[in-house]
């Protein structure tokens, strides 16, 4: 857990124990295999010095939620991690020496997912396959595929509720976004330079997010007042949006390391994805945020500097 929080390792290789294995067994044999795997893998590829294998015991509702966060279902894997043609010539082949006779007759499969602590991206094993202790070659091949960029990251998104009104009822003028709606409602308009978006990424359980919502409401009211009434035209404006970042992600979003996070989304060069993200790192005050927007947003309404000077720090 500490390694995941402080970034001691760039990668965590998370292996979720099957429900059939009791934690009391201690996973001594599996840990010995993983230690051997780590030594051999580091010898063939220096990138493995930044990969920490971690066994996660089964049991508890929190483990189910933890698995889901890394793109894994609640059911244990039904199939082992695959091997491909030509694996015998792979750099991982040394891990296969002498293992065939020592594999257990009872197959226990550990759900596998790699987590990048820098980018916060998760890479579950394709097809829901799992690691069978004794087949470290297959585990090495899966890890190689992730490190080589051959496995797509898992991107979470909840479906927009059928009764959703798009704008948040408590924060008029603020859109509620979802991972599946970001492309249409944020990225494309920004890429086409039709708008800029001030995006709040929050976590529902986070007390800091809950406290920030009061300032967020004041900010929305201030920007709406400065923008003025619509005259039938569609001018380029600064829009406000928010998203539950615990349940929704998008590959173009920068790594989120704390909640709440406030991003100013602006048009950028195509080779950068067409959208640039500026992260607010100032004080959580209405005056501070208004001043930051006024200095960086091209589409910010006139008069935000004056509003910032008039605002009190909360």
């Amino acid at each position: 857990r500490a390694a995941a929080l402080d970034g001691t390792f760039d990668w965590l290789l998370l292996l979720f124990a099957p429900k059939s294995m009791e934690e009391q067994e201690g996973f001594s044999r599996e840990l010995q295999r993983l230690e051997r795997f780590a030594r051999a893998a580091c010898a063939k590829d220096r990138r493995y010095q930044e990969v920490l294998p971690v066994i996660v015991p089964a049991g508890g509702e929190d483990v189910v939620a933890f698995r889901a966060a890394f793109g894994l279902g609640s059911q244990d894997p039904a199939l082992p991690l695959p091997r491909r043609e030509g694996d015998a010539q792979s750099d991982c082949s040394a891990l296969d020496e002498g293992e065939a006779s020592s594999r257990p007759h009872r197959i226990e499969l550990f759900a596998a997912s790699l987590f990048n602590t820098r980018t916060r991206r998760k890479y579950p094993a394709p097809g829901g396959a799992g690691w069978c202790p004794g087949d470290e070659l297959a585990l090495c091949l899966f890890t190689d595929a992730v490190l080589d960029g051959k496995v797509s990251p898992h991107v979470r998104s909840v479906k927009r509720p059928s009764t959703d009104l798009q704008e948040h009822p408590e924060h008029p003028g603020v859109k509620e976004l979802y991972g599946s709606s970001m492309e249409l409602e944020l990225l494309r308009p920004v890429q086409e330079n039709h708008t800029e978006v001030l995006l709040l990424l929050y976590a529902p359980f986070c007390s800091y997010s809950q406290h920030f919502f009061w300032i967020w409401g004041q900010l929305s009211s201030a920007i709406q007042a400065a923008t003025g009434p619509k005259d039938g035209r569609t001018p380029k404006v600064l829009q406000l949006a928010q998203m539950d970042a615990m349940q929704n992600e998008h590959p173009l979003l920068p790594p989120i390391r704390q909640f709440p996070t406030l991003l100013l989304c602006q048009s950028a060069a195509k080779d950068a994805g067409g959208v640039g993200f500026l992260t607010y790192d100032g004080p959580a005050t209405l005056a501070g945020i208004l001043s930051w927007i006024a200095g960086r947003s091209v589409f910010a309404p006139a008069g935000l500097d004056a509003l910032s000077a008039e605002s009190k720090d909360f």
Side-chain angles (χ1 to χ4, degrees):
R1 180 174 297 179
L5 295 176
D6 63 17
T8 303
F9 291 84
D10 287 350
W11 294 89
L12 299 182
L13 175 55
L14 300 172
L15 300 163
F16 292 81
K19 301 180 183 68
S20 57
M21 293 189 70
E22 297 292 337
E23 185 176 355
Q24 288 75 9
E25 294 182 19
F27 307 114
S28 58
R29 288 177 299 179
E30 289 75 21
L31 289 172
Q32 289 175 2
R33 291 187 182 280
L34 289 175
E35 288 176 2
R36 179 176 179 272
F37 161 78
R39 289 196 301 269
C42 286
K44 75 155 186 91
D45 191 335
R46 293 181 61 184
R47 294 180 299 177
Y48 276 82
Q49 296 175 5
E50 295 296 332
V51 178
L52 175 66
V54 178
I55 290 181
V56 182
E61 294 182 1
D62 55 336
V63 172
V64 174
F66 192 51
R67 290 170 66 118
F70 291 94
L72 301 171
S74 59
Q75 300 299 317
D76 290 329
L79 297 172
L81 288 167
R83 298 190 182 196
R84 300 177 301 274
E85 292 184 9
D87 287 346
Q89 286 74 42
S90 166
D91 288 339
C92 295
S93 58
L95 292 168
D96 201 35
E97 293 179 1
E99 287 293 328
S101 60
S102 61
R103 289 176 191 146
H105 296 291
R106 186 184 68 173
I107 296 179
E108 302 282 4
L109 297 178
F110 287 65
S113 184
L114 269 159
F115 173 55
N116 189 309
T117 63
R118 306 293 182 187
T119 66
R120 321 304 287 182
R121 302 283 186 244
K122 301 102 175 176
Y123 301 82
W131 168 56
C132 177
D135 194 359
E136 283 64 67
L137 171 60
L139 187 62
C140 178
L141 292 169
F142 163 60
T143 306
D144 275 357
V146 173
L147 297 180
D148 292 339
K150 298 177 181 179
V151 178
S152 299
H154 170 68
V155 179
R156 291 177 292 172
S157 178
V158 297
K159 292 183 179 179
R160 179 189 295 279
S162 57
T163 56
D164 186 71
L165 301 176
Q166 290 197 346
E167 288 193 358
H168 197 281
E170 297 181 9
H171 305 133
V174 178
K175 279 188 175 182
E176 187 73 34
L177 297 183
Y178 302 88
S180 58
S181 69
M182 273 200 64
E183 183 72 32
L184 180 63
E185 297 186 76
L186 188 152
L187 297 176
R188 193 176 301 171
V190 171
Q191 289 168 344
E192 295 172 352
N193 206 28
H194 292 162
T195 186
E196 291 181 343
V197 178
L198 188 65
L199 176 63
L200 171 65
L201 299 172
Y202 67 92
F205 63 82
C206 171
S207 60
Y208 294 102
S209 294
Q210 297 300 324
H211 292 156
F212 186 78
F213 274 130
W214 189 87
I215 298 175
W216 183 238
Q218 296 295 310
L219 180 65
S220 172
S221 298
I223 291 179
Q224 283 194 82
T227 302
K230 296 181 180 180
D231 57 4
R233 295 178 298 172
T234 55
K236 296 180 178 181
V237 296
L238 174 66
Q239 295 184 346
L240 273 64
Q242 63 186 48
M243 186 171 75
D244 176 356
M246 286 302 298
Q247 299 190 73
N248 298 277
E249 299 172 318
H250 194 279
L252 286 185
L253 282 176
I256 307 304
R257 303 191 180 280
Q258 64 181 19
F259 294 110
T261 290
L262 196 59
L263 301 175
L264 180 60
C265 313
Q266 300 175 303
S267 178
K270 289 185 178 180
D271 57 1
V275 179
F277 300 94
L278 297 178
T279 304
Y280 179 68
D281 58 1
T285 63
L286 180 59
I289 298 171
L290 285 171
S291 177
W292 178 73
I293 295 171
R296 288 165 177 79
S297 173
V298 178
F299 298 161
L304 280 194
D305 278 327
L307 283 176
S308 173
E310 296 171 3
S311 301
K312 296 180 180 179
D313 290 354
F314 295 97

